[in-house]
């Protein structure tokens, strides 16, 4: 069991600390729009941790009994914090948050200038080169196909008339050839001995 002066000091210090912690995290969360949605969760967690702390303290000092005067002492510590240290703490935390944001912006600009911008520039150059190469290769392919088609027409032009005479003879063979590949494909998909 703790003596009464130590008990009073510890409970009032808990109220003082409660005010400090609440204002610190509240100021930090309200400084950035992306963090504001965390405030409800942070409040819930804060009150849960603080309630567990106070209950643990009461368990150690007074067998877990929470007395009305304990609440009064907590409020006294919180009021002392509000009257003495709150403005200085809020100003310091706000200044610290602004300094942190400024340092983060400077670091981000350096990282962007040194790492991200050169990578993006390289990517744009590579993309442009690939686009140009693709366009040139497409044109070369079209030209090659045109030349090959023209060359094959010239090469096979003497055979055009004989082919027209013999073409009807080969048509049944081409029909059987297509049928052969269809049958082979069906056999591979459904083998005759398959269970």
């Amino acid at each position: 069991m703790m003596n009464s002066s130590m008990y009073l000091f510890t409970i009032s210090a808990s109220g003082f600390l409660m005010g400090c912690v609440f204002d610190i995290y509240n100021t930090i969360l309200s400084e950035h729009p992306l963090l504001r949605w965390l405030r409800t969760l942070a409040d819930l967690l804060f009150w849960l941790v603080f309630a567990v702390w106070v209950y643990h303290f009461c368990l150690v000092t007074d067998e877990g009994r929470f007395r009305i005067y304990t609440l009064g002492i907590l409020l006294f510590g919180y009021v002392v914090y509000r009257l003495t240290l709150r403005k200085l703490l809020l100003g310091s935390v706000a200044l610290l948050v602004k300094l942190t944001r400024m340092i983060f912006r400077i670091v981000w600009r350096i990282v962007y200038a040194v790492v991200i911008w050169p990578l993006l520039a390289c990517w744009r150059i590579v993309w442009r080169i690939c686009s140009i190469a693709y366009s040139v290769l497409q044109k070369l392919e079209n030209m090659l196909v045109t030349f090959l088609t023209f060359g094959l027409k010239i090469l096979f032009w003497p055979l055009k008339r004989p082919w027209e005479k013999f073409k009807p003879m080969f048509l049944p063979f081409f029909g059987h050839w297509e049928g052969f590949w269809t049958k082979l494909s069906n056999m591979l998909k459904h083998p005759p001995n398959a269970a």
Side-chain angles (χ1 to χ4, degrees), residues 37-56:
W37 67 273
L38 285 172
R39 189 179 291 175
T40 306
L41 183 64
D43 283 346
L44 190 67
L45 187 63
F46 169 78
W47 288 113
L48 184 68
V49 168
F50 189 70
V52 168
W53 159 250
V54 170
Y55 178 74
H56 174 71

Side-chain angles (χ1 to χ4, degrees), residues 41 66 102 108 113 129-130 143 160 164 176:
L41 183 64
F66 185 80
M102 188 177 75
W108 169 249
I129 289 170
C130 289
M143 285 171 53
K160 189 176 179 184
E164 293 295 328
H176 291 301

Side-chain angles (χ1 to χ4, degrees), residues 1-18:
M1 190 87 176
M2 200 180 282
N3 66 29
S4 59
S5 59
M6 192 64 181
Y7 179 82
L8 289 172
F9 174 76
T10 307
I11 289 291
S12 60
S14 296
F16 191 90
L17 186 65
M18 175 188 76

Side-chain angles (χ1 to χ4, degrees), residues 21-142:
V21 171
F22 184 79
D23 280 342
I24 287 171
Y25 86 78
N26 210 8
T27 304
I28 290 170
L29 292 180
S30 63
E31 282 294 320
H32 199 283
L34 292 175
L35 297 176
R36 284 185 192 143
W37 67 273
L38 285 172
R39 189 179 291 175
T40 306
L41 183 64
D43 283 346
L44 190 67
L45 187 63
F46 169 78
W47 288 113
L48 184 68
V49 168
F50 189 70
V52 168
W53 159 250
V54 170
Y55 178 74
H56 174 71
F57 183 75
C58 290
L59 187 67
V60 170
T61 57
D62 201 11
E63 297 175 2
R65 290 185 288 248
F66 185 80
R67 314 245 183 217
I68 297 295
Y69 61 82
T70 305
L71 182 61
I73 297 167
L74 280 169
L75 286 173
F76 172 75
Y78 178 71
V79 168
V80 168
Y81 158 73
R82 295 276 298 200
L83 294 174
T84 57
L85 202 64
R86 185 169 192 260
K87 283 185 181 178
L88 178 66
L89 184 75
L90 287 177
S92 302
V93 171
L95 181 65
L96 189 64
V97 168
K98 284 177 185 171
L99 281 172
T100 305
R101 286 169 90 184
M102 188 177 75
I103 290 168
F104 180 77
R105 281 182 188 146
I106 290 169
V107 169
W108 169 249
R109 285 178 184 161
I110 290 170
V111 168
Y112 185 82
V114 173
V115 178
I116 296 172
W117 187 82
L119 286 173
L120 287 173
C122 287
W123 172 252
R124 286 184 192 121
I125 290 168
V126 167
W127 183 260
R128 187 71 183 141
I129 289 170
C130 289
S131 299
I132 291 169
Y134 180 74
S135 175
V136 168
L137 288 171
Q138 256 188 330
K139 287 176 183 173
L140 284 173
E141 181 189 22
N142 291 341

